[in-house]
Amino acid sequence: MKAFWYFARQMLHYRRLLVLALIGAVFDAMCAFAGLGAFMTIIDQFLGKSLTLQQIVEKHLNHPTVQSVIGDRTQWADALPADAFTGFCITLTVVFILAILGSIGRFTHQYLAITVSLRTVMRIRNQVFRKLVHMPIAIAGSEGMSDKVSRVMVDCNYLSGGFNALTSRAVRDLLLGTAYLCLALLMDWRISLLFLIGLPIIFVLIRKFGKHIRRAGRRALGQYGVMIQSLNEVSQSLRVVKVHESEGYERRRFNVINKRLLAEQLRARVVRAISSPVLDTIALAGLIGVAIAAAWLIFEQGLAGEQVVKVLVALGLAGAQLKTLGRLSNDLHESDAAAGRIRQVLDTTVEPSARSGQSDQHRLPRHRSTVAFHNVTYTYPGAAQPALQQIDLSVTHGTVCAIVGGNGSGKSTLLGLIPRLYDPTDGRVAVDGVDLADCTLRSIRRQMAMVTQSTVLFDGTIADNISYGSRHVSRQQLTDAAKLARAHEFIDGLPDSYDTDIGEWGERLSGGQRQRLAIARAILRDPAILLLDEATSQIDADSESHINEALAQFTANRTTFVVAHRLSTVIHADMIVVLEAGRIGATGKHNDLLARSPVYQLLCRTQLQDAPRDSL
Ligand code: ADP
Ligand code: MG
């Protein structure tokens, strides 16, 4: 239960509300307790001695303990009616008023307890999300995000359930149960102790049930992650699913996942279903044992009947309150399973943010001379082969470096090393001679912009998407960037122009339109280093040449790395790097490479589109 308590402690952040809630709970319990006390006098009024309310109160006021505390106050009883019926009616009225007061206390308690538990879970969700966005790409890639998403959504809900159980039900039940038990002990400790003999058995059982439920809970929660992954895949590739007529396949696949989730959830079913009846039976057996002992005391020892009835009532009520603790324990253990999984996310390493960056890291000044790779090797975590090996490369400020190579030759990996999405396994990447490992991520990334082949758009308007990641952008700057990226024309044609909502994932735009938005976004960031990873792969050749022309002025005083798939882009590059299976095969200008690099010739013929076949 360590993980659960770790998070439960965060509720202390709302100490004041918790104290108020506790006051409400105590008030509620006190009213219920006093109500029971008033109710007990009815037994005296009806049974046995048939006392009137006045006589009962007088008797209590005469009690030596009471007298020692408040002095002789027997005259108070005289204010009460001597008539038995009126006394009875007054007693019932008091019981009713106490019940209403108790309800007010209960409302306050529940209201505040739910507030605290929901607010705390909200804070925890933020903490988890913080870890998610600051997670290094390498870890996110190897562990998958669906499981993490599920932890934010599903596990946090379970945690919230645990908080609710703990703060709302448990407090009142425990308070009242203990109070009833104390009352019973005060009235007759021998009978009450007999009842308590069953307690250890109940505790052992509750623990056993809890453990089982936690284990089953953890597995079920894991299965939710798998389900979210499947949902993600289907919703993002609905077109492919439909055209390939694989709806049936997807349905069956989902059904399997769903069934597995059900199986995990059912595992806890037996324990959940059995725990309440078993605990009830044990409590009842205890009560019957007590009743037999009591009967013996009444018949053989001549103990007063009504006294025993009162003790039994108190014990029965105590049992009923404490019984719910079994369910509470189950809820808390289930919640603990979720807490453990959330804790794992909080324990993952994150990229050092600007604020928490190591103190020996300094700001990288704006790039003005070179971007250099010194003997860089990079191996993805868990991969057998390095994706890049012994890369030595120096690119001068203001030039365009094109990277070409077959699929999987390491082009994207090379680009990712520049904004430190990954850190080299070996060797170093330096900007203006400064090792990037010594610089804060913020100062590195602030001067870079990246456009990838799969353009990600965010739910929002066109303007939101272009200005994403840039601050304080005027509409003029926005349209200028869009014009450079050849996006202005199509945006202008949209119903609300720049204020058009593009919907989730930009579903309503074509691939080329999305890429143009991404290029505009990169331009707006005014980067010193521009990273284009097949940024124009979905844009037609004609538009692309226009974009390239426009970009030529833009890239003049920046360093550009471009993974290209068209000859027209490569030809104008100041330097071309040919990657072969993670190594640099050749570097040089187009004509030079065409003359001496067979790999480059092959690439020109097969990979680079728009290459004039006859000239090769
Ligand atoms: P390119 O962009 O040239 O097509 P990449 O740089 O994406 O190639 O990939 C280079 C190599 O690294 C490939 O062999 C690929 O399988 C591997 N790779 C890419 N991403 C990962 C990853 N997240 N984990 C493990 N291996 C990866
Ligand atoms: Mg790639």
Side-chain angles (χ1 to χ4, degrees), residues 18 74 129 136 209 228 330 355 361 373 378 420 467 571:
L18 274 182
T74 22
F129 186 75
F209 291 155
I228 288 185
N330 290 347
R355 252 178 298 155
Q361 290 192 324
F373 287 71
Y378 180 75
R420 270 189 74 189
S467 60
I571 285 177

Side-chain angles (χ1 to χ4, degrees), residues 393-404:
L393 178 68
S394 180
V395 179
T396 321
H397 176 77
T399 61
V400 174
C401 170
I403 299 159
V404 294

Side-chain angles (χ1 to χ4, degrees), residues 367-597:
H367 158 62
R368 54 178 65 227
S369 67
T370 55
V371 176
F373 287 71
H374 300 290
N375 200 21
V376 170
T377 297
Y378 180 75
T379 312
Y380 281 98
Q385 290 286 322
L388 287 176
Q389 276 184 72
Q390 291 154 6
I391 301 291
D392 267 304
L393 178 68
S394 180
V395 179
T396 321
H397 176 77
T399 61
V400 174
C401 170
I403 299 159
V404 294
N407 290 330
S409 57
K411 305 181 293 289
S412 299
T413 310
L414 184 90
L415 240 54
L417 287 165
I418 302 169
R420 270 189 74 189
L421 293 181
Y422 325 102
D423 283 327
T425 320
D426 205 18
R428 59 197 191 93
V429 182
V431 170
D432 299 359
V434 182
D435 188 347
L436 288 183
D438 298 332
C439 301
T440 61
L441 285 181
R442 178 178 282 213
S443 67
I444 296 169
R445 293 178 185 168
R446 184 161 277 182
Q447 43 181 312
M448 298 187 186
M450 184 178 228
V451 183
T452 61
Q453 83 206 92
S454 58
T455 312
V456 180
L457 296 179
F458 301 89
D459 193 14
T461 63
I462 296 266
D464 293 340
N465 268 285
I466 297 180
S467 60
Y468 182 84
S470 310
R471 274 172 216 163
H472 316 299
V473 179
S474 72
R475 193 40 77 94
Q476 187 58 46
Q477 290 170 301
L478 207 77
T479 38
D480 286 348
K483 278 176 186 160
L484 265 182
R486 290 287 179 274
H488 181 73
E489 293 80 8
F490 91 81
I491 296 173
D492 225 18
L494 293 171
D496 290 321
S497 178
Y498 281 84
D499 297 315
T500 310
D501 227 316
I502 57 171
E504 207 177 352
W505 298 320
E507 269 296 326
R508 278 165 241 167
L509 299 177
S510 77
Q513 288 172 329
R514 275 186 258 174
Q515 284 192 330
R516 279 184 257 188
L517 287 187
I519 293 171
R521 180 192 289 164
I523 291 171
L524 200 58
R525 263 177 87 75
D526 184 25
I529 300 174
L530 183 61
L531 307 167
L532 303 172
D533 189 351
E534 311 203 20
T536 49
S537 57
Q538 299 188 35
I539 297 173
D540 56 88
D542 187 38
S543 306
E544 191 192 357
S545 69
H546 283 301
I547 293 176
N548 282 341
E549 270 167 41
L551 278 182
Q553 318 152 12
F554 179 74
T555 56
N557 55 349
R558 340 179 172 252
T559 309
T560 308
F561 287 83
V562 51
V563 174
H565 62 288
R566 281 208 181 100
L567 195 65
S568 51
T569 313
V570 177
I571 285 177
H572 296 113
D574 301 291
M575 175 193 214
I576 301 168
V577 176
V578 184
L579 280 183
E580 292 169 47
R583 291 173 188 271
I584 294 184
T587 54
K589 287 217 169 211
H590 174 68
N591 288 332
D592 170 28
L593 284 175
L594 209 52
R596 65 182 169 87
S597 165

